[in-house]
Amino acid sequence: MYANQEGYPGSLDSLLCRGQGAIERAATVLMRSAVLDPSAFRVSVPFHRPSKIICVGLNYADHTKESPYDQPDYPTLFPRFTSSLIADGEAIVRPNCSVQLDFEGEMVAVIGKKGRHIPKDQALNHVAGYSLFNDGSVRDYQFKSPQWTVGKNFDATGAFGPEFVTADELPPGAKGLQLTTRLNGKVMQKANTSDMLFDVASLVSIISEAITLEVGDLIVTGTPAGIGYARDPKVFMKAGDVCEVEIEGIGVLRNPIVDEEC
């Protein structure tokens, strides 16, 4: 969020870079300040330029069963780019080249402490908090090759936010939280974050074997069963639809769907 208003402590990006203490001090200032005027703010993604967005595929066994893949014994990782991100309330755009725009409700772990070769028993110390994601996937492009990158990175398909909840406000590793995805009010996905095959601590540790995790990096932790592609008949998002991702204790991410303008 941005605002030129007295009492506004700064963006989450800047606070996170200054450490957990900065977030705690900002919260204290806000609680003691006069109520801020919501009209002075523009809702945006919680973090604007993460150096890395690392997504995890096939991290719920029931989702793997509905997919054309065998269950891997190592996390399936692929990148998202910041050009694909949109905020809560902004429109997910169905590209003109496809009608296979699918939903994937997911939880995001936000890195708050830089590290490499992070032991699993220390991994959660590197997580600042959690948010929500809709990993909008253009399925026919996703399956054009063994690499999923193109189908996962169309502009304006990665909805992120609006809430960022610090790790101390949730169970360790954000386990035990109900995750629900609704399309036009109908429940399409329903699972628990405890069902993840690779939990947050495992993902942080495994990824850091190869990649230095930096402050503000996002790990999008995977989606459960119920995607539109696996249904009979298939269900894809179209103009006029509204998709919501809700995670217990974190919040609700809500986005309308529109067609790409020519």
Side-chain angles (χ1 to χ4, degrees):
M1 295 183 177
Y2 295 99
N4 294 316
Q5 186 174 1
E6 184 178 354
Y8 177 65
S11 68
L12 279 173
D13 301 84
S14 64
L15 294 172
L16 195 62
C17 287
R18 282 149 46 197
Q20 181 64 31
I23 294 177
E24 293 172 356
R25 289 190 294 274
T28 300
V29 168
L30 287 172
M31 286 188 291
R32 293 175 178 174
S33 299
V35 176
L36 298 177
D37 178 8
S39 65
F41 291 82
R42 178 177 64 84
V43 175
S44 185
V45 293
F47 300 91
H48 299 92
R49 303 297 298 182
S51 68
K52 291 179 286 295
I53 305 171
I54 302 172
C55 299
V56 186
L58 308 176
N59 202 22
Y60 288 78
D62 58 356
H63 174 52
T64 304
K65 289 177 181 177
E66 68 178 3
S67 77
Y69 301 101
D70 295 328
Q71 184 65 58
D73 57 8
Y74 185 87
T76 301
L77 306 176
F78 59 91
R80 265 264 182 191
F81 306 127
T82 55
S83 55
S84 72
L85 298 183
I86 59 169
D88 174 70
E90 293 184 332
I92 296 174
V93 177
R94 184 195 67 81
N96 289 333
C97 60
S98 175
V99 296
Q100 295 191 7
L101 176 62
D102 209 346
F103 48 83
E104 291 192 5
E106 310 197 22
M107 184 177 73
V108 180
V110 182
I111 298 298
K113 179 181 177 183
K114 183 177 180 178
R116 174 92 194 276
H117 300 302
I118 302 168
K120 183 178 177 180
D121 63 359
Q122 298 178 29
L124 294 182
N125 295 331
H126 291 257
V127 178
Y130 300 88
S131 190
L132 304 98
F133 206 88
N134 190 342
D135 186 29
S137 305
V138 182
R139 295 298 185 195
D140 44 352
Y141 277 77
Q142 178 184 349
F143 299 137
K144 279 182 180 289
S145 77
Q147 297 292 333
W148 300 350
T149 304
V150 171
K152 295 285 190 173
N153 276 286
F154 274 72
D155 286 355
T157 57
F160 173 35
E163 286 85 7
F164 167 71
V165 178
T166 54
D168 60 318
E169 295 291 330
L170 296 169
K175 286 188 175 181
L177 306 181
Q178 192 74 37
L179 186 160
T180 306
T181 305
R182 293 181 291 270
L183 185 63
N184 301 324
K186 180 180 179 180
V187 173
M188 308 300 281
Q189 295 178 290
K190 193 164 189 176
N192 193 285
T193 56
S194 293
D195 298 334
M196 289 192 297
L197 298 170
F198 298 95
D199 62 14
V200 172
S202 297
L203 291 171
V204 170
S205 181
I206 291 169
I207 293 168
S208 74
E209 290 176 347
I211 301 168
T212 298
L213 292 172
E214 299 173 289
V215 174
D217 284 353
L218 309 180
I219 300 176
V220 185
T221 59
T223 201
I227 61 168
Y229 182 85
R231 294 174 177 268
D232 185 17
K234 299 182 187 304
V235 176
F236 295 118
M237 297 188 291
K238 62 186 185 303
D241 287 348
V242 174
C243 193
E244 296 173 303
V245 178
E246 181 172 5
I247 301 179
E248 177 186 3
I250 301 179
V252 180
L253 170 65
R254 184 178 187 273
N255 299 89
I257 315 303
V258 299
D259 286 339
E260 180 181 11
E261 294 183 2
C262 298

